[in-house]
Amino acid sequence: MGNIRYTGKKKSSRSNNNASSVRDPVLQSTPQQQEAAAKRVGGEISANVIDVVFIPQITDIVERQAEIYAQEVLQQQQEKLQQQMQQEEEGEEEDDEEEVNEEQQDVEKGKEQVEEMEQVEEEEEEEEEESQDSHDPTAATDKNIFESSSTSPLPSLDELNLPSFLYATSESREEITTILHDVSNHFTSFEKKSTAPWKIHANAAKFERQLDEKYGILRPFITQHPEIEIFLRGVQRKYARGEFSPFRQGKAPVDKKTSIIILFIMYRNGVKLEKLILAATFFLVGLQPWALVLLVIFGRQLMEGRRKKKVAGWLGRGEVKTVKAYYAHAENEKAKHDILKTPVGCPITEEDFVEEKEGGYDTMVVGSGVDTLYTAALLARTGRKLLVLSPDNDASGCYSLAETSGMSDAVQKVYGSVPFDIQSNHVAHVERQQRLLAPALCTDTDAQGGVRFCRIGTEADGFTSDILSIPGMGVDSRKDTHPFLLRAGGVSNIAVDAATYLGDGWPEDDGVGHSTSAGYLAAAAGINATASEFYMSKLLPESIGGMKKNSSYQEASVRYASAFLDQVLPLNPHVRSLMAGIGMKGENLPPSKTSMAVHVTNTCAQISPEGFSYPVGGPRAISHALASVIEQNGGKVITGVKIKEFLYHEKEKLQNEKDETKSAKKGGGVDYSKPRCHGVKLVDGRVISVGQNEESCVISMLGFIPTFIFYMPDDIRTKYGVPSGLQALTERRPLLHFIVGLDGTAEELSLTAADWYRLPNASLALDEMDPITGQVKQGLIGAQVIDFDDHDDSATVGAELQQEDDTEASTKRDKRAKSGTAPTRKKPKRNKFCTGQSWMKISFPSAKDPSWKERHGKISTCVVTIEADDNFVQQFDSSPKIFSVTKFNHEACAHVVENIKKDLIDNFPQLQGKIDFISMTGPARKGLSHTPLRYAVKGIRPDTPYPGLIVGGSDLTVGDSFSGAIVAGWMAANAVIEYSFIDHIYLEKNITNDLKQFLSSPRSEVKGDDIAVPFKMTKSDEDIPQAAESSKEE
């Protein structure tokens, strides 16, 4: 019969004749019914949902039934064809009988269908009559659902274009009736048939109101797009199930034990704390990845806002004031030079004292030198009103003959205005120091305030910065010395010179090679790379600092330098002595007593590729620039202030009454709250105070020993104590400075710009070889630290401590034990300066400054520094160990001056007959000794237990170092501003970075380079960045 095409129109004659009677009235809806249904519960949204959701389902049913019907018709046709073929085979008679029987069966079936249809029509007519008589519109059955309160107007069958004959069967009618019944129940709010009409309308109004409240002005848009409502409801269901929770649902990807192990490995490998926190929130807390991303974004936004915001310690809320250069009023170069002839600051007078007493100063800085003025200038730019009190007559730290009596008029006339630089102002890694100095020095015309630096030395001497004279190093006898020049050029030049003069191995061009000195310097540089973390930890709370992993620099700081030297340089004692001398030049302390931290810091400063630099104009040039910044921001610098003690305001009552009860029960003293430091008391009884406000503070740049021992009232120290660990430390032996005036220029006298050192503390070690094992037993470096006898100048080797550990010494102890005699120890001899043997430093500041000749003519300066012997100071066995200045007579001064003059001419014979005068100043205190205990105690930090008191100075870092002093001043300024650990660790927010952010860039109105001290720049000075960029660019 071929393919059968289903059109949905082919029916039997009986079906066509009774089409209207067969169609179920339940599937029909009049226009009035549709209009009425549109006004009922659900509104337009429900109708659209039916159009989008349920009508496609009905269409699927129609198509599925049509396919089934077509398959049944095709199957019937095929069955009939097969039957016909069978009948032909069986014979004509049997076929005729079957056809007769089939026709009879068809007739009977047709009669039965007609009867069923008539019966259905009668039942429907009866139901229609009953529905018309009924007054309750809600009494409809499932068959007249469209005549009841349908929630949406369903389109007619004509609109749907559905084949009606498919619903003639009872199965199809039941299926579509069930679907529409579910739709009606979904969008109606009544279940009982007796629901009143007013309740239907009330539910409809409530539904409309809820739609308005939920979607508002977006309701028309959602009405036109019902798929949005479906999406929103789906989102709500997911939210109710917790799918949008920031915490992980279900089982964790990694169990807790494994998570803890992973976090521990990350911590041991040095992963930053913020990354550890994020990992912990993912593994342990169960934060989902998208929540972590949002957390990071939100945290970065908060951090960025914090970085651009001024913290509470900034008292100035406006813009950072732009200042003018201190030489702006100078008309020519001579006027600029004349400024440097005047001391920095002004002496205190009665008028000034009255002004200070009634002034509005909120911060006081006590001290002298570049580091003191640098700290004050940084704080002055933050809006604080600074008062600087300098104990010296020159706040720059320089010495002048105006402070010395007994000089002739001729000497006073020539040298009266000449500054003598008695401090260590060698600058290593000058670019780093310029970045630190720029925020304090910046003016409206120059980022460095006009201050420039020049390299120490000349091209002829390789820019030598230091000359070391170490007993026994590089010579055959331990009593002889041979100077070793420390040239610029970094590790390579030092390694080459060590190989040339000390027998060390030769380095390679691209590495250490066979040079042990190069390997040692590289190892020291690796340790020093973490020094910033150690000093930054002093600004953090102790609880936070204890959580951080100790850096290699911190671990080295509590170890002796001798152990490191013996381990890295075991074979060549000459190289070992050289590295010991480089590591500790500023104090006569052997490596067996020196902290490895200061040793590493000095070593890394020495290997600066460009060498050391010196400020043009000396320290007075930098100090004048810093003092100008302080004064233009409302501050003042006062000199010659003789301080008697710091002032503390002690509270009358206890901080907490419970403390007294607890301490009484424990049998201890009462825990008083610490008094607040608010000023100083002068030796004449006058008082200078900055008030007792929370913002006010006093910064002592004098060091820990003067601050808490000499200038703290005894009753306050006894009652409240000193910072933790200070009792275990030792003060460094004070120094004597000898001011020497020379007749002639540096060129005429062949003066070197390098500093000359004699270092008995680094004297050659006496290594011994064991004849049996062949192993080398390393000797003690610096065993020839000199003790001086009362009666003569003969030197004795202080090696008794080392001999106690030798085999020979142990044998002697055994013999004494058998004989019953008590061990005896030599009585310590007095420390006395010995010509040609004691520790000494000789420097020529005038030879370092290229502008000196233009400013002061044909004269030069020399400063000789030695340690004060027992004729001038006496050490007390106290806690801490301190030195007291004794009353010395004129004869002792004259004797030591003669020894100094002899020693100076022996080492620099060209000065014979060129010395105009020699004057002694001191003893000067230089802070704590560089022992491991100094870096181990927790109390050596800027903030102190006493509110309002901050301690700065080189005690926080490394002594006799310009860089160390500047960093210590930077730490003190940050402690005043009170940055949090988040600012320091995560935001890199500190006082210099904030000033760079808020400072205005210098204007470029000045033609050429605006410098404070004009000088003739040599070719060698071109390697140093003379004009720093603006603070914005830095």
Side-chain angles (χ1 to χ4, degrees), residues 842-861:
I842 302 175
S843 64
F844 301 95
S846 58
K848 305 173 185 178
D849 187 357
S851 67
W852 180 269
K853 185 177 180 180
E854 298 179 9
R855 294 189 290 117
H856 299 285
K858 294 184 177 182
I859 60 173
S860 299
T861 58

Side-chain angles (χ1 to χ4, degrees), residues 348 351-361 387 389 636 638 688-689:
I348 188 171
E351 292 78 9
D352 294 332
F353 178 78
V354 174
E355 181 181 351
E356 308 313 326
K357 188 175 181 180
E358 298 177 355
Y361 297 102
L387 178 62
L389 303 180
K636 196 168 186 178
I638 300 177
I688 302 178
S689 175

